[in-house]
Amino acid sequence: MGDLLLVRHGETEWSRSGQHTSWTDLPLTEHGEEQAKSLAPLLTGRTYALALASPLGRAIRTAELAGLTGVVPDPDLHEWDYGGYEGITTVDIHRTRPGWDLWTDGVPPGPEGHPGESPQEIGARADRVLARVDAALAEDSGDVVLVAHAHFLRVLTARRLGLAPAEGRLFQLATATVSLLSTEHGRPVIAEWNRRP
């Protein structure tokens, strides 16, 4: 059975400044493009049974620059909908809501079409992705790679390990990193985390 590789997209202006970025489709910075290119050695030399990416440009571009081919955009890999906190940093949120925590307190509704999401809603999306991952891995024809966003991939990791979606809070994930989820004695495990070249 193959492995599951998780790739967080390269740096954007907002990931650098710490602003919550879900539907705002910012491009990679110049540094983010270089980061994405540097991931190629960590991703080549493998056969992929399935390669999926968030439909947002920063994820698609990271996949391209990292040398992945045949990547299919999947809306379930979209970043957490931060609702009214889109573009706002945690520091700024704490000015009006001291002690606020995304994982437990959620987000207020945003503009039309962006009501915000709870950890449970993200978990449901992650579970749908994992069902597709499991189907591809069951064919035993290679690994699976997902190119997406920090909070979504953290929730997906929690779900893969059998944890509640909010336990994604335990897995810090930097830009332009590759993480590897594998199995040991038939159980899902983290084999590598936050790896950079």
Side-chain angles (χ1 to χ4, degrees):
M1 181 179 250
D3 293 319
L4 174 56
L5 288 86
L6 309 178
V7 178
R8 182 181 175 196
H9 64 77
E11 178 192 81
T12 68
E13 289 294 338
W14 283 11
S15 68
R16 183 171 55 205
S17 63
Q19 293 169 263
H20 288 90
T21 319
S22 53
W23 70 84
T24 304
D25 204 0
L26 296 174
L28 299 178
T29 61
E30 186 176 328
H31 177 62
E33 295 226 346
E34 292 304 314
Q35 286 180 312
K37 289 175 191 172
S38 76
L39 295 176
L42 300 178
L43 299 170
T44 56
R46 291 179 176 267
T47 300
Y48 294 106
L50 182 65
L52 301 174
S54 161
L56 294 173
R58 58 192 182 268
I60 297 292
R61 183 70 175 145
T62 296
E64 290 170 357
L65 292 172
L68 293 171
T69 59
V71 177
V72 177
D74 186 330
D76 277 336
L77 287 166
H78 196 284
E79 180 61 298
W80 193 314
D81 183 337
Y82 299 121
Y85 287 158
E86 179 79 359
I88 301 175
T89 67
T90 299
V91 170
D92 288 336
I93 295 166
H94 283 167
R95 288 191 177 105
T96 56
R97 287 183 72 184
W100 171 81
D101 185 294
L102 174 67
W103 302 98
T104 56
D105 300 327
V107 296
E112 186 175 338
H114 298 288
E117 288 180 291
S118 68
Q120 294 74 23
E121 290 169 316
I122 304 298
R125 283 201 284 122
D127 288 347
R128 288 194 300 266
V129 172
L130 288 170
R132 290 191 286 284
V133 166
D134 287 337
L137 290 175
E139 294 174 8
D140 207 21
S141 59
D143 299 319
V144 173
V145 62
L146 306 177
V147 184
H149 313 275
H151 280 125
F152 178 80
L153 291 174
R154 292 167 68 179
V155 171
L156 183 132
T157 298
R159 298 302 300 138
R160 187 63 164 179
L161 298 177
L163 303 172
E167 296 307 306
R169 68 186 170 80
L170 300 172
F171 308 108
Q172 188 275 337
L173 196 58
T175 55
T177 54
V178 176
S179 298
L180 180 67
L181 303 183
S182 191
T183 57
E184 182 180 61
H185 307 300
R187 291 185 300 268
V189 296
I190 297 174
E192 295 180 359
W193 192 256
N194 241 4
R195 186 170 174 207
R196 285 189 167 135

